[in-house]
Amino acid sequence: MASSQSSPPLQSLTPELLAQLKERSDKFLYETIGTNWKCKFCQTANELSIFRHAVESLHESDEQGFLRNFRELVPLTVYDTYQPFVARFFDTPCQESQVIDLFAPGFPAFIATSSATSGKAPKFFAKYKGTTSRVITTQSQSVYTYNLGYREILNVVRGDQDIVRRITVTSASGGLLRIQMGWNPEQDEDRMSSMVPGETAPHAVAMVAHHPSFLLLHALFALANRGVDIFSVLFCTTLLDMFMYIERDWFSLVDAIDRGTIPDFEHIEPVRDHLERYLHANPVRAAELRAIGAPSKTAGWAKYVWPKLKIAFSTGSGPFSSAVPKVKHILGPDVTMQTPGYGCSECVIGATYQPGDLNRFKVLLADAFIEYLDMDAEEVSNKLCAAWEAEPGRLYEPVLTTCNGLWRYRLGDVVELLGFAPDDGSPVVRFVERRNSVIKFDTTFVTEAQLVQSISSATQDTIGQVMEFTCFEDARELPSTVGFFVELANEPASLGASPHLAKQRLLDALSDVNENIRRVYDGGAFGMPTIRMVKPGTFAQYRKWRGEAAAIGTSQVKVPVVMSDTTAQEWIMNRVELEI
């Protein structure tokens, strides 16, 4: 019998599954409300004033009373609701009385910082508990590219000088991993020279902030180890960056393995001594690598380099999907690729469902109670659907009430409900796009999902395979249009078979997914899409640039499908190599 994880989702809930899902969801929500409603945010935020006055006279055991008042009285919230409260952690001095029990009881374990994909300032979220799961075992030999660097450490004081708590500001993934492994920042230096069982790179690599050097060091220790069987890289685009750096620096990497020396990568001096003890001269391995050649030399290159490689965990859904074909070409058909799950800085949302599908997730009751706002509904709380009320085939925005103190928080993602898991009735969803990630014109707009679908279908047999891209309005001529900035798997000098057809194909593809495009184009209100090719490595450099600017690990940085930040737009335009 097929396992529930491999079974197609149900299109409707049986009475038994509906009852199970409702009971499980209500219990989780009641526990979350009961834990957090007496904390400072709920007790003082204007948005929750009606709710807190309604429940303050309830007995703590009145589950139905709390749930009814939550559903009727808690409005939708956005990050701006929480920002003034989060800002207290960054006050100097940060007083214990101001931040203890702020969103949830006690102090947060860490403050998670978002990747600022849109180009705006990063968002910060207090994390009181963590949900994560390492896919690595001590029996594995895994290339696991987590980054443990942090933005700063905040001192919480009592009175004039007594420090009562230190709180790290870091990426969500790095902070969650620190919780799970018990890695305190104060002990980082002591761990620098250690190796985590099951991983190929020394612990010190996790502290390297410089993006190219971080990936090159992981590549170096991976290439030196013939027994690698797992890759675990957060985003598929980052995995592709690593392969591109291997291609660029192939000879120096192999020579380093031959001699047992760490190359002069940038910004690694603080950790060099910790690294050198783990790289030993290996002429036999170097000779084997030279015989195989760089990644571009062989389809399925990774399996020749690492014969035991079985699986690569890396997010390949949404904006990361454009890198999947190139990564699969390098990995080869015998290596499984799997998205590790669906999560964000705010919380963990779902686990991979049907592992062969890179964009299918079973929604979890782990970090958050999730409601669903229909994309065609009015954007108010009384239009929310519970999980058991949502309809397969419809598009929804997830709305989160989290253990970490968010109340009906609008995530801004758009998901399609595919159905319900047959084992317990949990919703099964796929990511579609960011809700407000659109390019608006006077007479129409184009969504993120339409842009992704169009570029992937229009360019393969015209200019070649697009590894990554971004878009924004091109108003250099009238009428304005969508301007695509693409990085190709092949060199710009060796375009695909029919580059002269690329723009027309792109217009046709956009028209297929957005019926207004052809109409406004024919009416002279929308121009022919433009395609500008950027220099090789541009998007890897972009991640480095944005990561350094936001003081977060660059492996966390996403390239937006729609680039709205004008500074980032100018940065990209300065790296154009060729326009079709």
Side-chain angles (χ1 to χ4, degrees):
M1 180 180 294
S3 71
S4 60
Q5 284 293 84
S6 61
S7 301
L10 303 174
Q11 292 305 292
S12 62
L13 287 164
T14 65
E16 293 79 13
L17 286 176
L18 189 152
Q20 290 177 29
L21 177 60
K22 188 175 188 304
E23 180 182 2
R24 194 167 66 248
S25 300
D26 283 352
K27 181 175 185 294
F28 183 92
L29 177 59
Y30 173 59
E31 290 175 352
T32 301
I33 295 170
T35 300
N36 294 341
W37 84 273
K38 291 185 178 180
C39 292
K40 290 183 174 67
F41 174 78
C42 185
Q43 289 299 307
T44 57
N46 292 333
E47 289 81 355
L48 298 180
S49 61
I50 298 176
F51 167 76
R52 66 174 172 265
H53 291 315
V55 300
E56 60 187 8
S57 60
L58 294 179
H59 192 276
E60 289 184 358
S61 63
D62 187 357
E63 177 176 339
Q64 292 306 311
F66 275 97
L67 295 178
R68 183 181 64 255
N69 281 289
F70 173 88
R71 292 189 168 106
E72 293 177 358
L73 302 177
V74 175
L76 300 177
T77 65
V78 295
Y79 182 71
D80 288 348
T81 309
Y82 303 88
Q83 193 279 329
F85 292 84
V86 177
R88 296 182 188 181
F89 288 106
F90 297 90
D91 287 343
T92 305
C94 174
Q95 289 289 343
E96 175 188 29
S97 60
Q98 292 297 304
V99 297
I100 193 169
D101 305 331
L102 186 53
F103 295 104
F107 292 109
F110 69 99
I111 305 288
T113 177
S114 73
S115 61
T117 302
S118 65
K120 300 176 182 177
K123 299 174 183 176
F124 299 97
F125 300 95
K127 294 287 188 175
Y128 294 81
K129 58 170 285 187
T131 301
T132 187
S133 178
R134 281 169 63 89
V135 296
I136 310 308
T137 68
T138 55
Q139 289 74 40
S140 301
Q141 286 296 300
S142 171
V143 181
Y144 190 11
T145 62
Y146 54 85
N147 191 292
L148 295 178
Y150 48 84
R151 185 185 181 105
E152 59 183 304
I153 295 179
L154 307 174
N155 292 325
V156 180
V157 300
R158 180 181 299 150
D160 293 334
Q161 55 185 354
D162 291 339
I163 296 176
V164 295
R165 184 61 65 98
R166 300 182 191 273
I167 303 174
T168 306
V169 183
T170 186
S171 66
S173 59
L176 291 172
L177 187 58
R178 283 184 180 275
I179 291 176
Q180 185 180 15
M181 301 300 290
W183 289 338
N184 193 309
E186 282 77 8
Q187 299 167 337
D188 281 347
E189 187 63 33
D190 296 335
R191 284 191 300 271
M192 283 283 201
S193 295
S194 66
M195 288 283 292
V196 178
E199 297 178 15
T200 57
H203 192 81
V205 176
M207 304 306 298
V208 175
H210 189 256
H211 186 58
S213 299
F214 173 76
L215 292 181
L216 281 166
L217 285 168
H218 272 292
L220 175 64
F221 285 98
L223 289 169
N225 188 334
R226 196 176 191 273
V228 167
D229 56 355
I230 295 175
F231 269 88
S232 184
V233 182
L234 185 58
F235 300 133
C236 190
T237 48
T238 307
L239 181 55
L240 184 57
D241 284 352
M242 181 187 293
F243 289 141
M244 291 175 66
Y245 283 126
I246 291 175
E247 179 78 28
R248 189 194 72 181
D249 290 13
W250 175 251
F251 295 107
S252 64
L253 289 167
V254 174
D255 287 347
I257 293 167
D258 194 349
R259 299 191 304 267
T261 57
I262 302 293
D264 292 327
F265 298 142
E266 296 181 79
H267 305 294
I268 68 166
E269 289 311 311
V271 300
R272 177 181 287 278
D273 290 344
H274 301 292
L275 302 173
E276 287 179 338
R277 61 187 296 181
Y278 290 105
L279 188 68
H280 308 292
N282 192 339
V284 174
R285 178 60 173 164
E288 182 182 22
L289 292 171
R290 290 188 181 106
I292 296 169
S296 62
K297 302 300 182 185
T298 309
W301 170 87
K303 194 68 174 177
Y304 292 94
V305 174
W306 301 289
K308 296 181 180 180
L309 183 60
K310 300 187 297 288
I311 191 167
F313 294 99
S314 196
T315 303
S317 56
F320 310 106
S321 60
S322 62
V324 169
K326 180 65 174 177
V327 169
K328 284 187 171 182
H329 175 79
I330 295 171
L331 293 175
D334 296 329
V335 179
T336 301
M337 195 172 167
Q338 181 174 318
T339 295
Y342 178 12
C344 52
S345 299
E346 290 86 343
C347 72
V348 173
I349 294 173
T352 299
Y353 190 82
Q354 295 181 304
D357 191 323
L358 297 178
N359 191 12
R360 186 169 292 212
F361 308 98
K362 177 180 176 178
V363 176
L364 302 174
L365 271 175
D367 275 0
F369 170 78
I370 299 180
E371 298 169 282
Y372 299 85
L373 180 62
D374 194 300
M375 289 296 291
D376 293 330
E378 185 182 0
E379 297 176 33
V380 291
S381 60
N382 62 9
K383 298 297 183 182
L384 289 171
C385 299
W388 54 91
E389 297 170 329
E391 300 177 23
R394 295 197 65 81
L395 300 181
Y396 296 94
E397 177 184 356
V399 175
L400 317 174
T401 298
T402 72
C403 299
N404 292 303
L406 300 179
W407 295 75
R408 282 189 162 173
Y409 175 87
R410 297 187 62 172
L411 183 60
D413 283 359
V414 178
V415 300
E416 178 187 359
L417 180 68
L418 300 176
F420 304 93
D423 60 338
D424 64 2
S426 295
V428 176
V429 302
R430 74 175 182 91
F431 176 86
V432 177
E433 61 187 344
R434 292 288 293 167
R435 178 163 191 146
N436 295 315
S437 183
V438 300
I439 302 179
K440 295 183 179 179
F441 300 92
D442 290 342
T443 52
T444 190
F445 64 88
V446 187
T447 70
E448 177 181 295
Q450 292 166 356
L451 293 165
V452 171
Q453 189 173 343
S454 300
I455 195 71
S456 62
S457 64
T459 55
Q460 182 70 44
D461 59 350
T462 55
I463 59 175
Q465 183 182 324
V466 172
M467 293 194 301
E468 288 191 77
F469 76 98
T470 191
C471 305
F472 48 85
E473 182 180 4
D474 184 350
R476 292 176 296 170
E477 296 182 5
L478 293 176
S480 61
T481 186
V482 178
F484 288 83
F485 295 79
V486 304
E487 185 173 337
L488 300 178
N490 47 297
E491 294 289 334
S494 55
L495 289 176
S498 307
H500 60 287
L501 300 177
K503 294 201 294 184
Q504 183 62 51
R505 290 274 184 86
L506 198 46
L507 176 63
D508 294 342
L510 283 168
S511 301
D512 287 342
V513 296
N514 185 329
E515 61 185 22
N516 287 326
I517 292 295
R518 180 64 65 180
R519 177 180 58 80
V520 295
Y521 176 77
D522 290 342
F526 182 85
M528 179 68 72
T530 60
I531 304 173
R532 283 172 272 185
M533 280 169 282
V534 297
K535 299 173 183 176
T538 289
F539 289 111
Q541 294 171 14
Y542 175 87
R543 281 184 278 278
K544 173 179 176 292
W545 173 60
R546 297 302 290 189
E548 290 175 350
I552 59 174
T554 52
S555 58
Q556 308 290 322
V557 177
K558 309 166 191 173
V559 176
V561 173
V562 176
M563 186 170 282
S564 57
D565 179 54
T566 54
T567 302
Q569 290 176 0
E570 183 177 353
W571 189 95
I572 285 288
M573 287 190 287
N574 287 335
R575 283 153 180 81
V576 171
E577 194 167 58
L578 179 68
E579 180 165 6
I580 299 295

